[in-house]
Structure formats: structure tokens, C-alpha cells
Amino acid sequence: MGHEGMKSSLVSREVIADSVELTMRGHGYDALVGLAGCDKSLPGMMMAMIRLNVPSVFLYGGSILPGKYRGKDVTVQDVFEAVGAHAAGNMTDEELHLLESIACPSAGSCGAQFTANTMASVSEAIGLALPGSAGAPAPYDLRDTFAHKSGEQVMKLIELNLRPRDICTRKAFENAAAVVAATGGSTNAGLHLPAMAHEAGIEFDLHDVAEIFKRTPYIANLKPGGAYVAKDLYEMGGIPIVIKALLDAGFLHGDCMTVSGKTLAENHEHVKLPDNQDVVYPVSNAISPTGGVVGLKGNLAPEGAIVKVAGLEKQTFTGPARCFDTEEECFAVVQSGNYKDGEVLVIRYEGPKGGPGMREMLATTAAIYGQGRGDKVALITDGRFSGATRGFCVGHVGPEAAVGGPIGLLNDGDMIAIDAINGTISVDLSDEELETRRKTWEPRRHNYNSGAIWRYAQTVGSAEFGAVCHPGAEAETHVYADL
């Protein structure tokens, strides 16, 4: 995070999916139990399951326990934001070191509704994981129980010949997107769900995800937009209580099949939303009537963009652009405090092809937030954000700068308007002016001209469709499971 290593992150999703595929093909295995622990391993594993289409059960490694700092639960997000507070002179060296030392006290993935826990929620909602299996924190012995049950269940799936593409239907993807929205989950789901759907030959792009986000209530009071961590949700009943609340209110398709051999509705028939708690609200008293993540579109993002609004009080922003061609350039300015309230910071050439690798911008956004200026500036990028990002931050802007997208044609001072209520993002430039600038625009070279990241840049597609690297099920002449 915050350096060149982040260029490897999204690339690893494809490598994980490919390596699982090659291992399965090489050994001729009949079924798969896939264990995944952190951000890209979850969608990568589920992509491989759908691609191979052998009987499969997904098992999450579990969330980390929260640290305690001055009586409050803290996560890795607090450390990143503390870097900004430290730079602003609001935190001493000793305080920052203490927070760093206690924020991550156990094994497990990052502890709130960041990308790992978001995709773990997806694994239950879409039906690839056993009910309740995504909730228990990593150090808890219950994880061993779910491991045994997953092994037993995959044998039953072989008998039933129940496969991932029987489970991961269009309606199941809609269920998954709804649970992401209801929990204020990571914007990265807008990238991973289309990539998973691509493996099944289902058209389900960023705009489809955004449409479901728009109509789904936000009910789970989880960090980074809310107050609680994954352990708190588990103690209330885990992802099943979110699914049950949405099912009862008609926001999910209850007839979707799952790896339990039962439908989603049957799995949650006896689940009850606990009273007298404020971790998960009933739909009738939702935190907000629409999801915690919003899709945007306009002349600055014809292929779309995405913003997390969970926890945001102000959902519109207009200001002059301040353009940077790398994350490092912007981070240096933010660390020095040399930026103005009201500006829209633009980080470009960080998309799938342009980065290459579509880095997450958590270091920069957390520094802004830690300086107390999270509501005073906006940030847009053709790269990604961490699930821990908060503030007015727009990612996945497409087309990306590297292919001549409008974000690459911006100049300092161009007026940008973002409206997360109406789902728009635009720059105050005419089509004629944008076309004039496009004629003088030249591609920007990057430094990855061999190896895995170069190979990724040659094949990766737009974030609109999940930043995928192969034709997917639509072009298949065979499925591994049927060989």
C-alpha cells in the first residue's frame, strides 16, 4: 500500500484464478474446496470455481480481531489515517507507534467491511459458501468446524452433481450485489462481481452492480462508514442476519440454490434479526434507503465510476481539478499539506492498463482524512480504492487515461461536478473541447515492459467489465468439469 508493490495486487487475482485452474487441470481433480484469506484471493478463488465448474465449496479464512486503542476498537484503517494525523502535527511519534503496535492483534483479514470481508459476505450471499461460515474471526476454533463441514459437503455436491454455475446465476449475482450494498461494502465488489460473472458467461457489468446498489437499503453499521467491526457482526449472528433482513423485505431472490443443497430462503428460514442492537438495522429503519456504494456516469466517465457514500454527509461536490499522473505525486502534495479546500484531486494513469495494475489509493485518502480534510476535498482516479477508504473518493473512472479517456484530458482548473445522489460525474467542458484535447493527447509510457505485470497490461480490459484478461465463458468450446 502506498508504493509500487500495489501494482501487483489486482494482477494477483488473475494469477490466483489461473494457478488454481492449472492445478485442477494438471491433476484432474473432481472437486474443489477453496480456502481464501485476503482481498484478491477471495474473488480469484471464486472465479476459478466458476471457470472450472466442478463441485466446489468456498471457505473464508476469517477476519482479524480488533485492536484496542484508548478504549476503542481499531483496525488497520486507523493506522493509515493516523499517518495523516501525524503529518498534520496532531499525533506524536510515540502515539503513532503505539497504535501501529496494537491495531492488528491476531491472524486474519482486515477487520471491518473492507474488501476481504465484503467478498466473504458475497461468498455466502451468492451461495458458494456454507451459511454462517464467513463470519467467525480467524482465531476462533469454529473455523475448524466449518473446514470439516466444507469437506463433507463437497462430497455431497459430487453426488448431487451440483456445480458453481448451477448456483451462480444472474439472480445470485444480484443477491451478492445487494448484500454488498446493504453492508456498505468495498467499491472493489464493483470490479470483482463482473469478473466472476464473466467466468459464467453472464453479462453483469459495473452499471448492473450500480443499479442494484441504488435500490438496496444500507442496513449494516460497519466500519469504515459505520461504527462496528466484523467481530461485532459475528456476535450478532453474522452475514445470515443481513441476508435474512433483506430476504424478509423482498430485496433478495430466495429461490437461488446454494452449496448446502438448499435454497437461500431455506438456509435462513429460522434466522432472526436480534432486537436491541444497532449493528444491523431492520430494513424498515435502514441507515439510508439506498446502498452504501453508488455508481456514477457522465462526460468524465462514459464507462462509469464508483463511490462509497456510506458515512458521507455531503454527497455532492464541485471544484477545480488538480491533476497528478501518479499516486506518488499526489501523496507528496497531500503529506506536505500543499493543497486547497474545495479542490478535486485527480490521480490518473493508475488504471488496469495504465498503472499497470489499478492500484488502491488508501495511503493518499487516509492521509487526507487523518488531516481532518476528508470532507473538504474530493479525489477521483482511474485506479481503485481500498475497502477502508472513506471521504469523497471516486474510483474506477473509465475509460482510463492510458487509453485516452476523458480523465487523461483534464487540465488543472477544469471544473468537475460529482453528484452521488443522481449518479453523475462531469467536467465543464464541451464535447468539442474534449475532442480538441484528444487530438494532441499522447499515450504515457510506463516502466513495466516485461514480466507478469507487462503481460497483464497487454490483455486486461476495462474496469467497466471487471478488468478481466480472457474471453470468459462466452468463448468456451469446453468446460473443464465435462472433460
Side-chain angles (χ1 to χ4, degrees):
M1 189 68 72
H3 59 79
E4 292 270 326
M6 179 48 72
K7 293 179 184 287
S8 302
S9 178
L10 187 59
V11 180
S12 77
R13 184 190 73 181
E14 312 310 308
V15 174
I16 290 163
D18 291 350
S19 64
V20 173
E21 177 192 359
L22 293 175
T23 299
M24 292 292 291
R25 285 182 180 273
H27 292 276
Y29 290 141
D30 298 317
L32 169 62
V33 175
L35 175 65
C38 195
D39 292 7
K40 306 307 169 293
S41 62
L42 283 86
M45 184 63 71
M46 288 187 276
M47 286 164 65
M49 290 174 171
I50 299 169
R51 183 187 303 177
L52 294 162
N53 204 33
V54 292
S56 302
V57 178
F58 179 88
L59 180 62
Y60 181 39
S63 175
I64 195 172
L65 297 173
K68 281 284 186 185
Y69 181 75
R70 295 181 174 175
K72 294 183 178 180
D73 285 345
V74 291
T75 69
V76 69
Q77 170 196 350
D78 296 276
V79 179
F80 277 102
E81 292 178 2
V83 172
H86 178 266
N90 298 325
M91 189 175 236
T92 67
D93 292 352
E94 291 75 20
E95 288 172 327
L96 178 58
H97 177 70
L98 177 60
L99 178 58
E100 287 177 326
S101 300
I102 62 177
C104 298
S106 77
S109 301
C110 294
Q113 200 64 353
F114 309 149
T115 303
N117 284 324
T118 295
M119 296 310 296
S121 303
V122 162
S123 72
E124 285 196 38
I126 208 167
L128 287 175
L130 291 173
S133 64
Y140 286 17
D141 288 345
L142 185 59
R143 300 235 57 84
D144 295 342
T145 302
F146 277 116
H148 285 290
K149 287 184 177 180
S150 296
E152 292 170 353
Q153 190 60 29
V154 82
M155 300 304 292
K156 294 178 183 177
L157 294 179
I158 294 173
E159 293 176 14
L160 294 170
N161 195 29
L162 183 58
R163 303 178 180 185
R165 295 190 196 180
D166 301 323
I167 292 166
C168 297
T169 61
R170 167 74 190 217
K171 291 199 296 185
F173 279 101
E174 292 177 1
N175 286 347
V179 169
V180 172
T183 58
S186 169
T187 53
N188 283 309
L191 202 65
H192 300 324
L193 288 175
M196 289 167 59
H198 181 71
E199 301 287 356
I202 296 170
E203 292 185 10
F204 192 70
D205 62 21
L206 175 64
H207 311 295
D208 296 313
V209 175
E211 187 60 34
I212 292 161
F213 287 168
K214 187 190 300 183
R215 66 174 187 246
T216 307
Y218 169 41
I219 61 172
N221 186 17
L222 301 173
K223 288 174 179 272
Y228 294 100
V229 296
K231 175 176 175 286
D232 299 315
L233 177 60
Y234 164 70
E235 290 174 347
M236 287 299 109
I239 298 302
I241 65 170
V242 177
I243 291 175
K244 180 62 171 177
L246 294 174
L247 276 169
D248 287 350
F251 286 97
L252 298 181
H253 305 287
D255 59 345
C256 289
M257 183 54 64
T258 73
V259 293
S260 71
K262 299 179 181 179
T263 66
L264 193 72
E266 289 171 337
N267 285 341
H268 296 83
E269 184 179 357
H270 302 296
V271 175
K272 185 178 183 299
L273 182 67
D275 297 324
N276 302 318
Q277 52 84 28
D278 62 347
V279 179
V280 177
Y281 289 69
V283 169
S284 60
N285 186 33
I287 299 168
S288 70
T290 57
V293 182
V294 171
L296 307 173
K297 202 171 185 181
N299 73 338
L300 185 50
E303 292 181 356
I306 199 164
V307 59
K308 179 181 282 192
V309 296
L312 274 186
E313 293 184 8
K314 182 182 177 184
Q315 296 190 16
T316 61
F317 198 101
T318 300
R322 177 91 175 271
C323 300
F324 305 91
D325 286 352
T326 66
E327 180 190 10
E328 285 85 356
E329 292 173 23
C330 185
F331 183 71
V333 166
V334 168
Q335 276 290 79
S336 68
N338 188 26
Y339 61 105
K340 298 176 182 177
D341 292 351
E343 287 184 323
V344 179
L345 307 180
V346 179
I347 305 178
R348 57 197 180 185
Y349 296 100
E350 292 286 7
K353 284 185 179 292
M358 205 179 184
R359 281 194 286 185
E360 294 180 356
M361 306 293 160
L362 177 60
T364 303
T365 59
I368 292 169
Y369 207 92
Q371 291 172 6
R373 300 174 73 175
D375 59 346
K376 296 179 173 62
V377 296
L379 191 151
I380 69 171
T381 179
D382 51 8
R384 298 181 297 123
F385 292 115
S386 165
T389 291
R390 55 179 173 170
F392 213 128
C393 302
V394 178
H396 305 198
V397 171
E400 61 175 294
V403 299
I407 191 173
L409 308 178
L410 296 176
N411 294 330
D412 286 352
D414 289 339
M415 292 301 295
I416 294 173
I418 309 165
D419 185 341
I421 298 171
N422 294 305
T424 61
I425 179 169
S426 60
V427 57
D428 188 16
L429 297 172
S430 66
D431 292 344
E432 291 76 17
E433 174 60 21
L434 285 169
E435 189 57 37
T436 298
R437 294 187 186 185
R438 187 171 284 109
K439 290 175 181 176
T440 60
W441 172 84
E442 293 183 0
R444 178 180 176 274
R445 289 182 60 83
H446 58 70
N447 295 325
Y448 291 81
N449 296 304
S450 66
I453 296 179
W454 172 86
R455 185 167 58 243
Y456 176 86
Q458 308 314 301
T459 57
V460 70
S462 168
E464 182 180 17
F465 302 107
V468 295
C469 295
H470 69 104
E474 190 174 337
E476 284 177 345
T477 57
H478 79 275
V479 178
Y480 164 75
D482 296 326
L483 288 178

